[in-house]
Amino acid sequence: DTGVSQNPRHKITKRGQNVTFRCDPISEHNRLYWYRQTLGQGPEFLTYFQNEAQLEKSRLLSDRFSAERPKGSFSTLEIQRTEQGDSAMYLCASSSFPGGWTGELFFGEGSRLTVL
Amino acid sequence: GQQVMQIPQYQHVQEGEDFTTYCNSSTTLSNIQWYKQRPGGHPVFLIQLVKSGEVKKQKRLTFQFGEAKKNSSLHITATQTTDVGTYFCAGTSGTYKYIFGTGTRLKVLA
């Protein structure tokens, strides 16, 4: 078990470009979460999946953000027409439910986005 | 929407002193979790509390869930330099969407 893997670890892009992040959760974890974190702040909820179903999406997210988990395994988070305010660390976490669930969210190392 | 606030925002203590961070939710919580994030790292799970008034201990750490399930606290006895980091609470109200608090950054002076 290699933990939650996120790619790329760093992304620098120009304003207006599209970016995509990938998250590979711990195998057999059926819940997957995306959070955004800026310096000095707590992780901000973006969305979460149970298997391939997107169960909830933050109302704070504009239509420029979309996430998918097509086969209930890995997930992608796409940001279209990036803005400087999108610069942040994008964190993915996975969790196993229900059997043996302790509630723990296992976080990846994150993907840091810088929009110039 | 649900908001989770933590106080204090920062705390500097001398090594060996105690430390407490408080977490307050705008809504009643189903359960609450605590995470620690070291500088440059990602959040790491510490514990989950589910029952009203629940108290759990992990070595020098004591976690408490309020009777009304709207607040929680983390107390560290005799801090060590390894306790440095930011402590977050994260709560959920009826779903599995965890809302993280604003965090308390702890600095321990040797």
Side-chain angles (χ1 to χ4, degrees), chain B residues 2-6 23-26 29 89-91 99-102:
Chain B
Q2 181 186 357
Q3 291 186 324
V4 181
M5 304 297 293
Q6 285 181 251
C23 174
N24 294 287
S25 171
S26 59
L29 300 171
C89 61
I99 301 300
F100 277 72
T102 47

Side-chain angles (χ1 to χ4, degrees), chain B residues 34-48:
Chain B
W34 284 91
Y35 289 80
K36 177 183 178 181
Q37 186 173 24
R38 287 199 164 95
H42 57 275
V44 175
F45 177 82
L46 295 175
I47 208 160
Q48 174 169 274

